Amino acid sequence: MQTDEFYMRRCLQLAVNGRLRAKPNPMVGAVIVAPDGRIIGEGYHAKCGEAHAEVNAFASVKPADEALLPQCTMYVSLEPCAHWGKTPPCANLIVSKGMKRVVCGCIDPFAKVKGRGVQILRNAGIEVTVGVLEKECLELNKAFITVNTLKRPYIILKWAQTANGCMGLLQQGRPQPISISTPTTRRLMHKLRAEVDAILVGAGTWKADHPQLNVRAWYGPDPERILISAHATQAPEGFWLAHSTNEVVSHLNEEGKQSLLVEGGAHTLQSFIAAELWDEIRVETAINRTAEGIAAPQVPHNAHITRLETYDNNIITYYERNK
């Protein structure tokens, strides 16, 4: 099992190379290991519509090593596909290569696969092991997993607050933005924006700050911009207007978007918490305090801390929903 975990970690390393361009497909890495422990082939799914990880792994095998394939083990972070999509089924390709053994990190929850790939391999007499580093493999594709199991996008709530829990200032009863993030944490925020499919703010945040909500301090595509407001009749240029959290979810499902970042403000964030529409929460807390301000949302009771990171004295706390 320790050997299996070693090669599966290499699959995970390879898979993340497809983070920006594999969507909406999952990130997948594959490794082919000879009987002597040598990796003779490896690959990952680089771009939606192009070759899958298994195909690229076989293509990387040198001609001198091809005769070894019937004695080899293939490691793949996600169950090989079993259906015709933009590319042929990878499970059938593995069978045609006469592989001896296949190790899968986790089962693919996509309805057209969901155990069928493993069954094709076993029906062909290939030894199959499932569940090696399963937690890590599921975590890698949490948005893809969420869409296929909960039928909604993976939702991240994110806000920055002062040490005494304020998100913004109040001046003569009107909300005003406050500078909390540092140059480093702003870059991390833009990195996150590049990784999600859509980003959302409420009408209060738009009126107070007119945020651009694009990717400027990182490399990657801009997410779709959404404004949620119960009263607005027209969205700002470049934004899609929603009137409720359910409308947001329906819109993203229709467009095939797998992830949403909610950046605020407090009322908007709380509406997603109240509707139980969240999977992850990221809270950046500064060391400074403010006398009067807009209170940040309360982290829900069914959340637990997964890690803490410190940048320029600001602490980012990561929460996930209790299973």
Side-chain angles (χ1 to χ4, degrees):
M1 181 57 71
Q2 288 183 343
T3 299
D4 286 349
E5 291 182 356
F6 175 83
Y7 293 115
M8 189 59 69
R9 291 194 190 281
R10 178 56 182 162
C11 290
L12 291 169
Q13 289 175 341
L14 291 165
V16 296
N17 289 304
R19 184 178 296 279
L20 294 182
R21 303 211 304 165
K23 294 186 296 185
N25 289 350
M27 293 173 277
V28 183
V31 170
I32 301 171
V33 181
D36 62 2
R38 285 187 304 123
I39 293 178
I40 64 169
E42 59 182 27
Y44 64 93
H45 183 39
K47 184 179 180 181
C48 179
E50 296 184 358
H52 288 188
E54 299 93 326
V55 176
N56 289 329
F58 282 123
S60 74
V61 176
K62 295 178 181 178
D65 289 328
E66 287 184 356
L68 296 174
L69 289 177
Q71 307 168 51
C72 290
T73 296
M74 168 166 273
Y75 292 84
V76 58
S77 54
L78 185 71
E79 175 186 14
C81 63
H83 67 291
W84 279 85
K86 294 182 178 180
T87 58
C90 289
N92 292 355
L93 174 63
I94 294 170
V95 171
S96 72
K97 297 292 185 178
M99 300 295 292
K100 176 182 179 181
R101 180 172 180 247
V102 174
V103 179
C104 302
C106 61
I107 294 295
D108 187 339
F110 183 52
K112 292 183 178 180
V113 186
K114 207 171 185 179
R116 292 179 178 86
V118 167
Q119 196 58 52
I120 288 172
L121 299 177
R122 287 177 172 159
N123 289 346
I126 298 173
E127 178 188 347
V128 181
T129 300
V130 178
V132 174
L133 296 185
E134 182 178 41
K135 180 180 179 182
E136 291 88 341
C137 291
L138 290 171
E139 174 69 17
L140 176 67
N141 286 301
K142 54 193 176 184
F144 176 81
I145 300 295
T146 299
V147 166
N148 283 280
T149 55
L150 300 181
K151 309 306 179 185
R152 64 160 177 80
Y154 186 88
I155 300 174
I156 303 171
L157 309 183
K158 186 267 179 191
W159 69 83
Q161 62 184 29
T162 61
N164 58 327
C166 290
M167 292 181 62
L169 298 175
L170 282 174
Q171 294 181 354
Q172 298 180 343
R174 294 186 177 183
Q176 299 292 328
I178 182 174
S179 180
I180 296 175
S181 298
T182 73
T184 301
T185 60
R186 276 193 289 273
R187 284 194 292 273
L188 290 174
M189 178 180 66
H190 283 246
K191 176 178 181 292
L192 179 58
R193 288 179 180 179
E195 294 171 356
V196 298
D197 296 326
I199 186 170
L200 177 149
V201 294
T205 298
W206 172 255
K207 290 177 182 178
D209 202 20
H210 287 79
Q212 297 181 58
L213 302 183
N214 57 11
V215 178
R216 303 184 302 279
W218 202 261
Y219 169 80
D222 292 333
E224 177 183 2
R225 296 179 293 176
I226 299 175
L227 175 71
I228 186 169
S229 171
H231 307 293
T233 58
Q234 186 174 354
E237 184 178 355
F239 281 70
W240 185 81
L241 176 64
H243 297 95
S244 69
T245 55
N246 287 337
E247 189 177 353
V248 172
V249 171
S250 296
H251 169 72
L252 294 177
N253 282 344
E254 289 173 3
E255 290 202 337
K257 301 289 177 67
Q258 295 185 349
S259 54
L260 170 68
L261 174 61
V262 180
E263 286 202 6
H267 176 76
T268 297
L269 289 160
Q270 190 59 52
S271 70
F272 277 84
I273 292 173
E276 290 289 336
L277 288 173
W278 66 275
D279 299 283
E280 181 181 334
I281 297 175
R282 301 187 185 187
V283 181
E284 179 181 352
T285 305
I287 58 173
N288 61 302
R289 306 172 72 89
T290 183
E292 181 184 12
I294 302 168
Q298 291 294 311
V299 174
H301 63 86
N302 58 335
H304 66 277
I305 296 175
T306 57
R307 69 183 190 274
L308 299 171
E309 295 176 352
T310 301
Y311 302 94
D312 307 320
N313 294 320
N314 280 17
I315 298 174
I316 300 179
T317 307
Y318 293 77
Y319 300 86
E320 288 184 359
R321 179 190 293 273
N322 295 336
K323 302 300 182 182

PDB file of all heavy atoms in Angstrom, residues 29 33 38 45 49 78 80 89 123 126 154 160 163 171 196 208 275-276:
ATOM      1  N   GLY A  29      -4.354  12.694 -13.189  1.00  0.00           N
ATOM      2  CA  GLY A  29      -2.989  12.311 -13.504  1.00  0.00           C
ATOM      3  C   GLY A  29      -2.880  10.802 -13.597  1.00  0.00           C
ATOM      4  O   GLY A  29      -3.619  10.076 -12.917  1.00  0.00           O
ATOM      5  N   VAL A  33       3.816   2.080 -14.294  1.00  0.00           N
ATOM      6  CA  VAL A  33       4.983   1.603 -13.543  1.00  0.00           C
ATOM      7  C   VAL A  33       5.341   0.193 -13.980  1.00  0.00           C
ATOM      8  O   VAL A  33       4.493  -0.714 -13.987  1.00  0.00           O
ATOM      9  CB  VAL A  33       4.708   1.630 -12.027  1.00  0.00           C
ATOM     10  CG1 VAL A  33       5.934   1.144 -11.254  1.00  0.00           C
ATOM     11  CG2 VAL A  33       4.329   3.041 -11.582  1.00  0.00           C
ATOM     12  N   ARG A  38      10.225   1.218 -12.188  1.00  0.00           N
ATOM     13  CA  ARG A  38      10.463   2.387 -13.027  1.00  0.00           C
ATOM     14  C   ARG A  38       9.145   2.958 -13.538  1.00  0.00           C
ATOM     15  O   ARG A  38       8.238   2.221 -13.922  1.00  0.00           O
ATOM     16  CB  ARG A  38      11.326   2.035 -14.239  1.00  0.00           C
ATOM     17  CG  ARG A  38      12.794   1.819 -13.973  1.00  0.00           C
ATOM     18  CD  ARG A  38      13.553   1.643 -15.292  1.00  0.00           C
ATOM     19  NE  ARG A  38      13.010   0.551 -16.092  1.00  0.00           N
ATOM     20  CZ  ARG A  38      12.557   0.679 -17.345  1.00  0.00           C
ATOM     21  NH1 ARG A  38      12.581   1.862 -17.932  1.00  0.00           N
ATOM     22  NH2 ARG A  38      12.096  -0.364 -18.001  1.00  0.00           N
ATOM     23  N   HIS A  45      -4.463  15.257 -17.815  1.00  0.00           N
ATOM     24  CA  HIS A  45      -5.461  15.855 -18.712  1.00  0.00           C
ATOM     25  C   HIS A  45      -5.203  17.354 -18.751  1.00  0.00           C
ATOM     26  O   HIS A  45      -5.453  18.063 -17.786  1.00  0.00           O
ATOM     27  CB  HIS A  45      -6.862  15.547 -18.191  1.00  0.00           C
ATOM     28  CG  HIS A  45      -7.960  16.049 -19.078  1.00  0.00           C
ATOM     29  ND1 HIS A  45      -7.882  16.000 -20.454  1.00  0.00           N
ATOM     30  CD2 HIS A  45      -9.157  16.613 -18.799  1.00  0.00           C
ATOM     31  CE1 HIS A  45      -8.980  16.500 -20.970  1.00  0.00           C
ATOM     32  NE2 HIS A  45      -9.777  16.892 -19.988  1.00  0.00           N
ATOM     33  N   GLY A  49     -11.507  18.495 -23.954  1.00  0.00           N
ATOM     34  CA  GLY A  49     -11.632  18.187 -25.372  1.00  0.00           C
ATOM     35  C   GLY A  49     -10.415  17.513 -25.947  1.00  0.00           C
ATOM     36  O   GLY A  49     -10.471  16.969 -27.060  1.00  0.00           O
ATOM     37  N   LEU A  78      -8.265   9.259 -10.840  1.00  0.00           N
ATOM     38  CA  LEU A  78      -9.720   9.151 -10.960  1.00  0.00           C
ATOM     39  C   LEU A  78     -10.039   7.962 -11.854  1.00  0.00           C
ATOM     40  O   LEU A  78      -9.323   7.699 -12.824  1.00  0.00           O
ATOM     41  CB  LEU A  78     -10.303  10.434 -11.554  1.00  0.00           C
ATOM     42  CG  LEU A  78     -11.826  10.543 -11.638  1.00  0.00           C
ATOM     43  CD1 LEU A  78     -12.433  10.724 -10.248  1.00  0.00           C
ATOM     44  CD2 LEU A  78     -12.222  11.726 -12.528  1.00  0.00           C
ATOM     45  N   PRO A  80     -10.932   5.536 -14.628  1.00  0.00           N
ATOM     46  CA  PRO A  80     -10.921   5.752 -16.077  1.00  0.00           C
ATOM     47  C   PRO A  80     -12.340   5.837 -16.638  1.00  0.00           C
ATOM     48  O   PRO A  80     -13.234   5.107 -16.204  1.00  0.00           O
ATOM     49  CB  PRO A  80     -10.194   4.513 -16.613  1.00  0.00           C
ATOM     50  CG  PRO A  80      -9.345   4.051 -15.466  1.00  0.00           C
ATOM     51  CD  PRO A  80     -10.154   4.344 -14.246  1.00  0.00           C
ATOM     52  N   PRO A  89     -13.422   5.985 -24.687  1.00  0.00           N
ATOM     53  CA  PRO A  89     -13.315   5.528 -23.289  1.00  0.00           C
ATOM     54  C   PRO A  89     -11.895   5.086 -22.936  1.00  0.00           C
ATOM     55  O   PRO A  89     -11.301   4.261 -23.632  1.00  0.00           O
ATOM     56  CB  PRO A  89     -14.280   4.339 -23.230  1.00  0.00           C
ATOM     57  CG  PRO A  89     -15.159   4.467 -24.428  1.00  0.00           C
ATOM     58  CD  PRO A  89     -14.338   5.150 -25.472  1.00  0.00           C
ATOM     59  N   ASN A 123     -13.863  -6.952 -15.748  1.00  0.00           N
ATOM     60  CA  ASN A 123     -14.421  -7.934 -16.688  1.00  0.00           C
ATOM     61  C   ASN A 123     -13.367  -8.447 -17.661  1.00  0.00           C
ATOM     62  O   ASN A 123     -13.482  -9.560 -18.189  1.00  0.00           O
ATOM     63  CB  ASN A 123     -15.588  -7.320 -17.468  1.00  0.00           C
ATOM     64  CG  ASN A 123     -16.820  -7.118 -16.608  1.00  0.00           C
ATOM     65  OD1 ASN A 123     -16.910  -7.654 -15.498  1.00  0.00           O
ATOM     66  ND2 ASN A 123     -17.761  -6.342 -17.101  1.00  0.00           N
ATOM     67  N   ILE A 126      -8.410  -7.670 -15.447  1.00  0.00           N
ATOM     68  CA  ILE A 126      -7.391  -6.802 -14.874  1.00  0.00           C
ATOM     69  C   ILE A 126      -7.641  -6.644 -13.374  1.00  0.00           C
ATOM     70  O   ILE A 126      -8.777  -6.419 -12.945  1.00  0.00           O
ATOM     71  CB  ILE A 126      -7.412  -5.418 -15.544  1.00  0.00           C
ATOM     72  CG1 ILE A 126      -7.081  -5.550 -17.041  1.00  0.00           C
ATOM     73  CG2 ILE A 126      -6.440  -4.451 -14.866  1.00  0.00           C
ATOM     74  CD1 ILE A 126      -7.231  -4.269 -17.835  1.00  0.00           C
ATOM     75  N   TYR A 154     -19.706  24.176  -6.450  1.00  0.00           N
ATOM     76  CA  TYR A 154     -18.951  24.261  -5.202  1.00  0.00           C
ATOM     77  C   TYR A 154     -18.872  25.735  -4.827  1.00  0.00           C
ATOM     78  O   TYR A 154     -18.459  26.574  -5.631  1.00  0.00           O
ATOM     79  CB  TYR A 154     -17.554  23.682  -5.410  1.00  0.00           C
ATOM     80  CG  TYR A 154     -16.721  23.576  -4.159  1.00  0.00           C
ATOM     81  CD1 TYR A 154     -16.785  22.441  -3.353  1.00  0.00           C
ATOM     82  CD2 TYR A 154     -15.843  24.586  -3.782  1.00  0.00           C
ATOM     83  CE1 TYR A 154     -16.009  22.317  -2.219  1.00  0.00           C
ATOM     84  CE2 TYR A 154     -15.070  24.482  -2.646  1.00  0.00           C
ATOM     85  CZ  TYR A 154     -15.159  23.338  -1.867  1.00  0.00           C
ATOM     86  OH  TYR A 154     -14.391  23.230  -0.734  1.00  0.00           O
ATOM     87  N   ALA A 160     -12.889  39.497   4.471  1.00  0.00           N
ATOM     88  CA  ALA A 160     -11.786  40.010   5.285  1.00  0.00           C
ATOM     89  C   ALA A 160     -12.385  40.833   6.412  1.00  0.00           C
ATOM     90  O   ALA A 160     -13.370  41.562   6.216  1.00  0.00           O
ATOM     91  CB  ALA A 160     -10.843  40.852   4.441  1.00  0.00           C
ATOM     92  N   ALA A 163      -9.641  42.749  13.554  1.00  0.00           N
ATOM     93  CA  ALA A 163      -9.474  41.864  14.706  1.00  0.00           C
ATOM     94  C   ALA A 163     -10.740  41.760  15.543  1.00  0.00           C
ATOM     95  O   ALA A 163     -10.971  40.756  16.219  1.00  0.00           O
ATOM     96  CB  ALA A 163      -8.303  42.342  15.570  1.00  0.00           C
ATOM     97  N   GLN A 171     -20.092  55.385   8.229  1.00  0.00           N
ATOM     98  CA  GLN A 171     -19.925  56.833   8.347  1.00  0.00           C
ATOM     99  C   GLN A 171     -21.264  57.494   8.087  1.00  0.00           C
ATOM    100  O   GLN A 171     -21.812  57.386   6.980  1.00  0.00           O
ATOM    101  CB  GLN A 171     -18.862  57.327   7.354  1.00  0.00           C
ATOM    102  CG  GLN A 171     -17.458  56.817   7.665  1.00  0.00           C
ATOM    103  CD  GLN A 171     -16.415  57.330   6.691  1.00  0.00           C
ATOM    104  OE1 GLN A 171     -16.737  57.991   5.705  1.00  0.00           O
ATOM    105  NE2 GLN A 171     -15.149  57.033   6.969  1.00  0.00           N
ATOM    106  N   VAL A 196     -11.854  29.899  -9.981  1.00  0.00           N
ATOM    107  CA  VAL A 196     -13.292  29.661  -9.902  1.00  0.00           C
ATOM    108  C   VAL A 196     -13.964  30.079 -11.207  1.00  0.00           C
ATOM    109  O   VAL A 196     -13.403  30.828 -12.006  1.00  0.00           O
ATOM    110  CB  VAL A 196     -13.933  30.402  -8.706  1.00  0.00           C
ATOM    111  CG1 VAL A 196     -13.343  29.909  -7.386  1.00  0.00           C
ATOM    112  CG2 VAL A 196     -13.766  31.919  -8.846  1.00  0.00           C
ATOM    113  N   ALA A 208     -20.926  50.600  -2.593  1.00  0.00           N
ATOM    114  CA  ALA A 208     -19.876  51.170  -1.748  1.00  0.00           C
ATOM    115  C   ALA A 208     -18.510  51.151  -2.419  1.00  0.00           C
ATOM    116  O   ALA A 208     -17.701  52.061  -2.220  1.00  0.00           O
ATOM    117  CB  ALA A 208     -19.815  50.422  -0.422  1.00  0.00           C
ATOM    118  N   ALA A 275     -28.991  29.748   3.752  1.00  0.00           N
ATOM    119  CA  ALA A 275     -29.550  28.804   2.783  1.00  0.00           C
ATOM    120  C   ALA A 275     -28.760  27.499   2.724  1.00  0.00           C
ATOM    121  O   ALA A 275     -29.110  26.608   1.944  1.00  0.00           O
ATOM    122  CB  ALA A 275     -29.591  29.447   1.406  1.00  0.00           C
ATOM    123  N   GLU A 276     -27.719  27.374   3.560  1.00  0.00           N
ATOM    124  CA  GLU A 276     -26.844  26.191   3.558  1.00  0.00           C
ATOM    125  C   GLU A 276     -26.191  25.992   2.191  1.00  0.00           C
ATOM    126  O   GLU A 276     -25.921  24.861   1.781  1.00  0.00           O
ATOM    127  CB  GLU A 276     -27.618  24.938   3.958  1.00  0.00           C
ATOM    128  CG  GLU A 276     -28.049  24.887   5.415  1.00  0.00           C
ATOM    129  CD  GLU A 276     -26.864  24.677   6.367  1.00  0.00           C
ATOM    130  OE1 GLU A 276     -25.834  24.132   5.922  1.00  0.00           O
ATOM    131  OE2 GLU A 276     -26.965  25.065   7.543  1.00  0.00           O
TER     132      GLU A 276
END
